[in-house]
Amino acid sequence: MKTAKTTLGVIIGNRDFFPDKLVAEARTEIVALFEKLNITPILLTDADTKLGGVETFKEAQRCADLFKKHAADIQGILVVLPNFGDEKGVAETIKLANLNVPVLVQGYPDDLKKMDVVNRRDAWCGKISVCNNLYQFGIKYSLTTKHVVSPSDESFIADLQHFIAVCRVVKGMRNVRIGAVGARPGAFNTVRYSEKILQRNGISVTTVDLSEILGNANKLTADHARVKEKLEGIKAYTPTGKTPNDKLVQIAKLDVVLADFMAENALDATAIQCWTSLQQNYGCNVCTNMSMMSENMLPSACEVDVTGTLSMYAMQLASGTPSALVDWNNNYADDDTKCVLFHCGNWAKSFLPDIQISTAPILGTSVGVENTYGALEGRTPASPLTYGRISTDDSQGIIKAYVGEGELTNDALNTFGNRAVAQINNLQGLMQYVCRNGFEHHVVMNASKTAGILKEAFENYLGWQVYQHA
């Protein structure tokens, strides 16, 4: 995924009885670093305040006004402490700006050879004071790995990139719009969720009856221009195997209608009824459509798993790559650290180098295999793994989640559908946690190492209950 250029507000703290030159040097260094990392800074100039720093309340007002002018663009705020800094100035700026975005606090290290009056920083102590004030003001903030660190240090650059990903997740999750297509399958209580709890957290759900989608699809003809266009897109996306052309046309019609539904409602993701109404009433699977949407960063989950697709969207924001909804499905022989991840066939192409359209044999036993064309066949090879799940806990009135990391392996797996083998430390303990806390059988996987980003975003900034599996 090509992510948009990041814009961060920057507050450079100052305190008048520490050397001013350190503020000017820090401003130059941060601007140069941001240019290198393709980050747009919003910060005061030396014409606005002394050296572009923030110390007094009047300077805090000026900085806050500047941030307000760019409120639509600013995704987070970086606090830079080249010296002790003024803790009230920093906190007042963030309070007055009222942007409600993540905040990262950085302090410069002292040089033992420069501990004289004209070079001494004391940012080690100043950072504690700034954080104390942010805490008092009720402002959420993030910390660097090292308590004090130079902006040129590799650990700070990694911290900054981590923070930018946190900002993406927080911004995206506060405004996400999900389409729920159809009713959940009657036998799947596991995918029930609270639309009201989601809405309270800024997550909107737009519903549509499956009959409307299928009715509109059936009105289209094979020679319709958009159907032909979608059909070519499907053939370009994946080998079609033995799929009959009339089934491919059905899938293409469905693609047209789903695309219109998403565009009309400005949706970021969908959760679609599948098992078994779509096969019985339309005669194919929607897996290919869902895979194409997910590959194009419009995640789609089956069985109307709304919080499942929300989890997919969150991981996509964190990593910049597609996610897939999977079942915690099988043990892997007698290896307690491995398990099989599986689904009929809706994973994004990024996970399936050997992708092709096929059928869903398990589903076919009840609805007829000929009605399940559109499921994808493919094995996911070895890759990094972040897994996790967001869920609404109605009895507690909260959103909760678990996240963790592991590996996908190349271990032998002789079966059908979309499949992978995962290796996870203390997998048995994780399954105990999932079962004891009432989580769903669906989990989301992403080929990244982003669990820490997700935990920071969910827990610190969104206020959700999060377990990170070690």
Side-chain angles (χ1 to χ4, degrees):
M1 175 174 101
K2 185 178 179 181
T3 56
K5 188 171 184 177
T6 303
T7 298
L8 297 181
V10 180
I11 302 170
I12 303 179
N14 190 21
R15 182 160 285 192
D16 60 2
F17 48 80
F18 287 89
D20 285 339
K21 67 170 187 173
L22 300 176
V23 175
E25 291 170 0
R27 192 181 189 283
T28 300
E29 187 172 12
I30 289 296
V31 169
L33 177 64
F34 275 31
E35 184 175 356
K36 180 181 176 182
L37 298 178
N38 197 33
I39 304 169
T40 300
I42 304 297
L43 74 172
L44 295 171
T45 69
D46 54 9
D48 298 316
T49 64
K50 185 170 63 174
L51 302 173
V54 174
E55 182 177 4
T56 67
F57 183 70
K58 186 172 287 188
E59 290 170 346
Q61 288 178 307
R62 287 178 184 167
C63 191
D65 288 341
L66 176 65
F67 286 178
K68 286 178 184 177
K69 288 178 184 177
H70 297 273
D73 300 317
I74 293 175
Q75 295 161 264
I77 294 171
L78 172 64
V79 176
V80 178
L81 300 174
N83 59 32
F84 189 98
D86 189 277
E87 66 253 35
K88 287 183 64 179
V90 170
E92 292 285 10
T93 299
I94 297 171
K95 176 189 174 184
L96 292 170
N98 195 30
L99 300 185
N100 193 27
V101 295
V103 176
L104 177 64
V105 185
Q106 175 267 349
Y108 272 77
D110 270 301
D111 185 337
L112 283 179
K113 298 176 182 178
K114 297 180 179 179
M115 295 288 283
D116 54 322
V117 174
V118 296
N119 291 293
R120 185 184 175 108
R121 297 181 182 274
D122 285 12
W124 182 287
C125 189
K127 180 175 177 178
I128 298 171
S129 296
V130 165
C131 292
N132 175 272
N133 275 258
L134 295 178
Y135 186 89
Q136 290 186 46
F137 278 59
I139 297 167
K140 300 294 184 181
Y141 53 91
S142 298
L143 301 172
T144 52
T145 303
K146 298 178 182 179
H147 182 62
V148 289
V149 61
S150 168
S152 62
D153 191 286
E154 287 300 320
S155 76
F156 175 74
I157 294 171
D159 288 337
L160 187 59
Q161 291 171 332
H162 177 103
F163 177 69
I164 288 169
V166 169
C167 293
R168 277 201 310 269
V169 175
V170 171
K171 182 178 180 180
M173 298 300 275
R174 283 175 172 162
N175 298 283
V176 62
R177 293 177 55 79
I178 298 173
V181 181
R184 66 169 177 81
F188 282 76
N189 276 1
T190 186
V191 297
R192 291 197 287 191
Y193 69 99
S194 170
E195 198 173 325
K196 292 181 180 179
I197 293 175
L198 292 179
Q199 190 65 72
R200 196 185 309 152
N201 285 267
I203 300 157
S204 301
V205 179
T206 299
T207 61
V208 64
D209 195 275
L210 184 62
S211 64
E212 292 185 40
I213 298 296
L214 300 186
N216 288 334
N218 281 323
K219 291 175 186 176
L220 296 171
T221 62
D223 59 358
H224 190 286
R226 290 185 64 206
V227 173
K228 288 182 176 179
E229 180 185 353
K230 292 291 187 182
L231 184 59
E232 291 306 309
I234 291 166
K235 291 178 179 178
Y237 181 75
T238 172
T240 57
K242 298 179 181 179
T243 308
N245 192 65
D246 63 320
K247 297 297 183 180
L248 292 174
V249 170
Q250 278 186 289
I251 296 167
K253 290 179 182 180
L254 206 53
D255 220 40
V256 172
V257 176
L258 287 170
D260 286 346
F261 171 63
M262 292 196 72
E264 288 166 8
N265 293 282
L267 301 177
D268 302 295
T270 52
I272 303 175
Q273 181 179 357
C274 176
W275 193 295
T276 56
S277 179
L278 206 141
Q279 292 78 15
Q280 292 175 324
N281 296 295
Y282 191 66
C284 70
N285 267 36
V286 70
C287 299
T288 299
N289 311 86
M290 297 167 70
S291 173
M292 294 173 71
M293 287 190 284
S294 295
E295 183 71 17
N296 290 319
M297 311 307 278
L298 296 168
S300 188
C302 54
E303 295 155 10
V304 202
D305 188 352
V306 167
T307 51
T309 202
L310 180 65
S311 308
M312 294 172 71
Y313 187 66
M315 288 195 188
Q316 171 184 298
L317 289 168
S319 68
T321 61
S323 305
L325 187 80
V326 310
D327 282 352
W328 289 118
N329 213 72
N330 314 89
N331 60 293
Y332 188 80
D334 58 357
D335 191 329
D336 288 343
T337 68
K338 293 179 182 177
C339 67
V340 175
L341 305 178
F342 175 83
H343 239 171
C344 296
N346 62 346
W347 298 357
K349 184 165 70 171
S350 294
F351 294 96
L352 306 171
D354 57 343
I355 188 174
Q356 72 167 347
I357 298 178
S358 185
T359 58
I362 295 176
L363 186 55
T365 60
S366 60
V367 301
V369 174
E370 70 279 4
N371 292 314
T372 67
Y373 281 103
L376 293 172
E377 172 83 12
R379 164 67 195 268
T380 303
S383 71
L385 170 66
T386 293
Y387 59 85
R389 173 80 204 193
I390 299 167
S391 183
T392 56
D393 190 321
D394 299 35
S395 61
Q396 297 187 64
I398 63 169
I399 294 180
K400 63 184 182 182
Y402 69 88
V403 294
E405 295 175 353
E407 303 292 336
L408 296 180
T409 75
N410 285 328
D411 289 295
L413 183 60
N414 183 24
T415 187
F416 49 84
N418 288 172
R419 55 206 186 271
V421 176
Q423 184 163 31
I424 297 167
N425 288 338
N426 189 20
L427 176 60
Q428 303 306 310
L430 173 63
M431 291 299 100
Q432 290 273 330
Y433 184 87
V434 167
C435 291
R436 288 193 182 280
N437 289 276
F439 279 99
E440 297 80 353
H441 69 293
H442 287 164
V443 66
V444 172
M445 69 175 183
N446 190 279
S448 66
K449 296 286 188 178
T450 51
I453 291 167
L454 295 164
K455 186 175 192 294
E456 176 81 357
F458 293 170
E459 187 173 70
N460 191 19
Y461 292 104
L462 300 178
W464 301 348
Q465 180 179 297
V466 183
Y467 167 70
Q468 183 173 359
H469 184 66

